[in-house]
Amino acid sequence: MHIDIQSTISNWKKFTLTNQQNMSVSLLNYGGIITTINVPDRHNIIENVVLGFKNLAHYAQNPNFLGAIIGRVAGRIQEASFAIEGQTYHLEANEGAHHLHGGAGGLHQVIWAATPFQTEDTVGVSFTHTSVDGEGGYPGTVENAVTYTLTNNNELIVDYSATSDQATVLTLTNHSYFNLSGNMKRTIHDHLVTIASDEFIELDNELIPTGNKLDVTHTPFDFRTGRPIVDGINSTHTQNILAGHGYDHYFILNPKQQEAIQVQDEVSGRVMTITTNQPGVVMYTANNLSEGLELANGLSKRYDGICFETQASPASLHHEGFPTVRLEADVPYHKQTVFSFGVVKE
């Protein structure tokens, strides 16, 4: 196990974590961004399985949120406003009339304080950042901490912690685009995905939750026994079409199933399993990914990656019955998502 720390542009630092299986993860203190995850395929060929820029300086813009920590609230907040105890708070409208992923000054564009650490069988970095009261329009001063830990079992553990000095809203996630083919050799069309979810949240034509939960049964949103992503890309289901021919939807996870999500690429044999104590996940299939970005493994195009944004639901700010993003004063927030990498058993 070891950590390599490299100074890059301005006061950015890149941390590369490597375990005894030669799996490695590179992170920036800017945005807490995951730039690369290198893991073996079935032939023990080690390749990168996330999208990242060839030139680190391009993360300063990053309109597609590649690899970044997202907050204070991941997802879209309807009409860029919400109310707590009768007081309305107005946020930046950075996607039409709505607020997306914390706004322009969100956690994806701040320099986090970084503390690397190493134990006998783990290596990692803890990132911390104070988000002051009123920042981006949000109430409360929030102490945020996101810790990335790499184990010798090829697990990347992401721990999110926060406390606020007043009632506020918060749900943090990571916005990595995964592509298990390795070095972006193929799109994600044939990635086989399993999600332990019976319901997903219906969206309107601006991708804002309508307040309806839809049963996945007999739809391209039924991933309970596994299905390829291409089913949704080619689907005539209204929800797939309005998302840009694919998925950008919140799936409510079945709390009884610990391994909430599994992704498999048959050609490389790579498998990623996701476990989380978050109540749901937004699966986004890069339907609207900017084309022609100079990424580490080639120019970007639609469907080059797939995001699994484990989080609560900002729909809870405007509709009853959804996993809440509200955080009370002085109540610790702690969520964990674990990405485990392996290969298909032959």
Short mmCIF file of all heavy atoms in Angstrom, two decimals, residues 152-182:
data_model
loop_
_atom_site.label_atom_id
_atom_site.label_comp_id
_atom_site.label_asym_id
_atom_site.label_seq_id
_atom_site.Cartn_x
_atom_site.Cartn_y
_atom_site.Cartn_z
N ASN A 152 -7.20 -3.61 0.34
CA ASN A 152 -6.52 -4.65 -0.43
C ASN A 152 -7.50 -5.62 -1.09
O ASN A 152 -7.09 -6.51 -1.84
CB ASN A 152 -5.53 -5.42 0.44
CG ASN A 152 -4.17 -4.73 0.50
OD1 ASN A 152 -3.73 -4.13 -0.48
ND2 ASN A 152 -3.52 -4.80 1.65
N ASN A 153 -8.79 -5.46 -0.79
CA ASN A 153 -9.81 -6.28 -1.44
C ASN A 153 -10.39 -5.58 -2.67
O ASN A 153 -11.48 -5.94 -3.13
CB ASN A 153 -10.94 -6.60 -0.45
CG ASN A 153 -10.45 -7.48 0.69
OD1 ASN A 153 -9.63 -8.37 0.49
ND2 ASN A 153 -10.95 -7.22 1.88
N ASN A 154 -9.68 -4.58 -3.16
CA ASN A 154 -10.12 -3.79 -4.33
C ASN A 154 -11.47 -3.12 -4.09
O ASN A 154 -12.33 -3.05 -4.97
CB ASN A 154 -10.15 -4.65 -5.60
CG ASN A 154 -8.76 -4.92 -6.14
OD1 ASN A 154 -7.76 -4.53 -5.54
ND2 ASN A 154 -8.68 -5.59 -7.28
N GLU A 155 -11.61 -2.61 -2.86
CA GLU A 155 -12.78 -1.81 -2.51
C GLU A 155 -12.36 -0.35 -2.38
O GLU A 155 -11.35 -0.04 -1.75
CB GLU A 155 -13.37 -2.23 -1.16
CG GLU A 155 -13.85 -3.65 -1.08
CD GLU A 155 -14.10 -4.06 0.35
OE1 GLU A 155 -13.30 -3.70 1.24
OE2 GLU A 155 -15.10 -4.76 0.59
N LEU A 156 -13.17 0.54 -2.96
CA LEU A 156 -13.03 1.97 -2.72
C LEU A 156 -14.21 2.39 -1.85
O LEU A 156 -15.36 2.37 -2.29
CB LEU A 156 -13.03 2.76 -4.03
CG LEU A 156 -12.94 4.28 -3.87
CD1 LEU A 156 -11.64 4.70 -3.19
CD2 LEU A 156 -13.10 4.99 -5.21
N ILE A 157 -13.90 2.73 -0.61
CA ILE A 157 -14.93 3.11 0.37
C ILE A 157 -15.00 4.63 0.41
O ILE A 157 -13.97 5.30 0.59
CB ILE A 157 -14.59 2.56 1.77
CG1 ILE A 157 -14.44 1.03 1.72
CG2 ILE A 157 -15.67 2.96 2.79
CD1 ILE A 157 -13.83 0.43 2.98
N VAL A 158 -16.20 5.17 0.23
CA VAL A 158 -16.40 6.62 0.28
C VAL A 158 -17.31 6.93 1.46
O VAL A 158 -18.48 6.52 1.48
CB VAL A 158 -17.00 7.17 -1.02
CG1 VAL A 158 -16.97 8.70 -1.00
CG2 VAL A 158 -16.25 6.65 -2.24
N ASP A 159 -16.76 7.62 2.46
CA ASP A 159 -17.52 8.02 3.65
C ASP A 159 -17.79 9.51 3.59
O ASP A 159 -16.87 10.32 3.41
CB ASP A 159 -16.73 7.70 4.93
CG ASP A 159 -16.72 6.22 5.23
OD1 ASP A 159 -17.79 5.68 5.55
OD2 ASP A 159 -15.64 5.59 5.16
N TYR A 160 -19.07 9.86 3.77
CA TYR A 160 -19.50 11.26 3.78
C TYR A 160 -19.98 11.61 5.18
O TYR A 160 -20.85 10.92 5.72
CB TYR A 160 -20.67 11.47 2.81
CG TYR A 160 -20.41 11.06 1.38
CD1 TYR A 160 -20.70 9.76 0.95
CD2 TYR A 160 -19.93 11.96 0.44
CE1 TYR A 160 -20.49 9.37 -0.37
CE2 TYR A 160 -19.72 11.59 -0.88
CZ TYR A 160 -20.00 10.29 -1.27
OH TYR A 160 -19.79 9.91 -2.58
N SER A 161 -19.43 12.68 5.75
CA SER A 161 -19.86 13.14 7.07
C SER A 161 -20.09 14.64 7.03
O SER A 161 -19.41 15.36 6.28
CB SER A 161 -18.81 12.82 8.13
OG SER A 161 -18.57 11.43 8.21
N ALA A 162 -21.04 15.10 7.83
CA ALA A 162 -21.30 16.54 7.90
C ALA A 162 -22.09 16.87 9.16
O ALA A 162 -22.80 16.01 9.71
CB ALA A 162 -22.08 17.01 6.67
N THR A 163 -21.95 18.10 9.62
CA THR A 163 -22.82 18.65 10.65
C THR A 163 -23.11 20.10 10.28
O THR A 163 -22.28 20.78 9.69
CB THR A 163 -22.19 18.62 12.06
OG1 THR A 163 -20.92 19.26 12.02
CG2 THR A 163 -22.04 17.19 12.57
N SER A 164 -24.31 20.55 10.65
CA SER A 164 -24.73 21.92 10.38
C SER A 164 -25.13 22.59 11.68
O SER A 164 -25.65 21.94 12.59
CB SER A 164 -25.91 21.93 9.41
OG SER A 164 -26.39 23.25 9.21
N ASP A 165 -24.91 23.92 11.77
CA ASP A 165 -25.29 24.64 12.98
C ASP A 165 -26.74 25.11 12.95
O ASP A 165 -27.23 25.70 13.91
CB ASP A 165 -24.33 25.81 13.25
CG ASP A 165 -24.37 26.87 12.15
OD1 ASP A 165 -25.07 26.66 11.13
OD2 ASP A 165 -23.69 27.90 12.31
N GLN A 166 -27.44 24.85 11.84
CA GLN A 166 -28.88 25.11 11.79
C GLN A 166 -29.52 24.17 10.79
O GLN A 166 -28.83 23.53 9.99
CB GLN A 166 -29.17 26.57 11.45
CG GLN A 166 -28.65 27.07 10.13
CD GLN A 166 -29.00 28.53 9.87
OE1 GLN A 166 -30.14 28.86 9.56
NE2 GLN A 166 -28.02 29.41 10.00
N ALA A 167 -30.85 24.06 10.87
CA ALA A 167 -31.56 23.17 9.95
C ALA A 167 -31.27 23.59 8.51
O ALA A 167 -31.31 24.77 8.17
CB ALA A 167 -33.05 23.22 10.23
N THR A 168 -30.96 22.60 7.68
CA THR A 168 -30.60 22.88 6.29
C THR A 168 -30.96 21.68 5.43
O THR A 168 -31.70 20.78 5.88
CB THR A 168 -29.10 23.23 6.17
OG1 THR A 168 -28.82 23.72 4.85
CG2 THR A 168 -28.20 22.05 6.49
N VAL A 169 -30.48 21.67 4.19
CA VAL A 169 -30.68 20.52 3.31
C VAL A 169 -29.32 20.06 2.81
O VAL A 169 -28.44 20.88 2.54
CB VAL A 169 -31.62 20.85 2.13
CG1 VAL A 169 -33.02 21.13 2.63
CG2 VAL A 169 -31.11 22.03 1.31
N LEU A 170 -29.15 18.74 2.71
CA LEU A 170 -27.85 18.19 2.34
C LEU A 170 -28.02 16.76 1.84
O LEU A 170 -28.68 15.95 2.47
CB LEU A 170 -26.91 18.20 3.55
CG LEU A 170 -25.47 17.74 3.28
CD1 LEU A 170 -24.63 18.91 2.76
CD2 LEU A 170 -24.82 17.18 4.54
N THR A 171 -27.43 16.46 0.72
CA THR A 171 -27.21 15.08 0.31
C THR A 171 -26.01 15.07 -0.63
O THR A 171 -26.02 15.70 -1.69
CB THR A 171 -28.45 14.41 -0.31
OG1 THR A 171 -28.16 13.01 -0.54
CG2 THR A 171 -28.91 15.05 -1.60
N LEU A 172 -24.94 14.42 -0.21
CA LEU A 172 -23.68 14.42 -0.93
C LEU A 172 -23.54 13.13 -1.74
O LEU A 172 -24.03 12.08 -1.35
CB LEU A 172 -22.50 14.53 0.05
CG LEU A 172 -22.54 15.70 1.04
CD1 LEU A 172 -21.34 15.64 1.98
CD2 LEU A 172 -22.59 17.03 0.31
N THR A 173 -22.85 13.24 -2.87
CA THR A 173 -22.58 12.05 -3.67
C THR A 173 -21.30 12.25 -4.46
O THR A 173 -20.68 13.32 -4.40
CB THR A 173 -23.76 11.71 -4.61
OG1 THR A 173 -23.61 10.37 -5.09
CG2 THR A 173 -23.85 12.66 -5.80
N ASN A 174 -20.90 11.22 -5.20
CA ASN A 174 -19.78 11.33 -6.13
C ASN A 174 -20.31 11.09 -7.54
O ASN A 174 -21.15 10.22 -7.76
CB ASN A 174 -18.68 10.32 -5.80
CG ASN A 174 -17.54 10.38 -6.80
OD1 ASN A 174 -17.60 9.77 -7.87
ND2 ASN A 174 -16.51 11.14 -6.49
N HIS A 175 -19.78 11.88 -8.50
CA HIS A 175 -20.32 11.87 -9.86
C HIS A 175 -19.34 11.24 -10.85
O HIS A 175 -19.14 11.75 -11.96
CB HIS A 175 -20.65 13.31 -10.28
CG HIS A 175 -21.72 13.43 -11.31
ND1 HIS A 175 -21.50 13.20 -12.66
CD2 HIS A 175 -23.03 13.76 -11.21
CE1 HIS A 175 -22.62 13.40 -13.33
NE2 HIS A 175 -23.57 13.74 -12.47
N SER A 176 -18.74 10.13 -10.47
CA SER A 176 -17.85 9.42 -11.40
C SER A 176 -18.66 8.73 -12.49
O SER A 176 -19.73 8.18 -12.24
CB SER A 176 -17.01 8.38 -10.66
OG SER A 176 -16.02 9.00 -9.88
N TYR A 177 -18.10 8.79 -13.71
CA TYR A 177 -18.66 8.07 -14.85
C TYR A 177 -17.85 6.79 -15.02
O TYR A 177 -16.66 6.84 -15.36
CB TYR A 177 -18.54 8.90 -16.12
CG TYR A 177 -19.39 10.14 -16.22
CD1 TYR A 177 -19.08 11.28 -15.47
CD2 TYR A 177 -20.48 10.19 -17.08
CE1 TYR A 177 -19.85 12.43 -15.59
CE2 TYR A 177 -21.25 11.35 -17.21
CZ TYR A 177 -20.93 12.46 -16.46
OH TYR A 177 -21.68 13.60 -16.58
N PHE A 178 -18.49 5.65 -14.83
CA PHE A 178 -17.79 4.37 -14.92
C PHE A 178 -17.92 3.78 -16.32
O PHE A 178 -18.96 3.91 -16.97
CB PHE A 178 -18.35 3.38 -13.90
CG PHE A 178 -18.08 3.78 -12.47
CD1 PHE A 178 -19.02 4.52 -11.76
CD2 PHE A 178 -16.89 3.45 -11.85
CE1 PHE A 178 -18.77 4.91 -10.45
CE2 PHE A 178 -16.63 3.83 -10.54
CZ PHE A 178 -17.57 4.57 -9.84
N ASN A 179 -16.85 3.14 -16.76
CA ASN A 179 -16.87 2.39 -18.01
C ASN A 179 -15.93 1.21 -17.82
O ASN A 179 -14.70 1.35 -17.85
CB ASN A 179 -16.43 3.26 -19.18
CG ASN A 179 -16.51 2.54 -20.51
OD1 ASN A 179 -16.27 1.33 -20.58
ND2 ASN A 179 -16.86 3.26 -21.57
N LEU A 180 -16.54 0.04 -17.58
CA LEU A 180 -15.75 -1.14 -17.20
C LEU A 180 -15.04 -1.80 -18.36
O LEU A 180 -14.28 -2.75 -18.17
CB LEU A 180 -16.65 -2.16 -16.48
CG LEU A 180 -17.34 -1.67 -15.20
CD1 LEU A 180 -18.06 -2.83 -14.53
CD2 LEU A 180 -16.36 -1.03 -14.23
N SER A 181 -15.23 -1.29 -19.59
CA SER A 181 -14.51 -1.87 -20.74
C SER A 181 -13.01 -1.65 -20.59
O SER A 181 -12.21 -2.42 -21.12
CB SER A 181 -15.01 -1.27 -22.06
OG SER A 181 -14.61 0.08 -22.20
N GLY A 182 -12.63 -0.59 -19.87
CA GLY A 182 -11.22 -0.28 -19.67
C GLY A 182 -10.71 0.68 -20.71
O GLY A 182 -10.80 0.43 -21.92
#
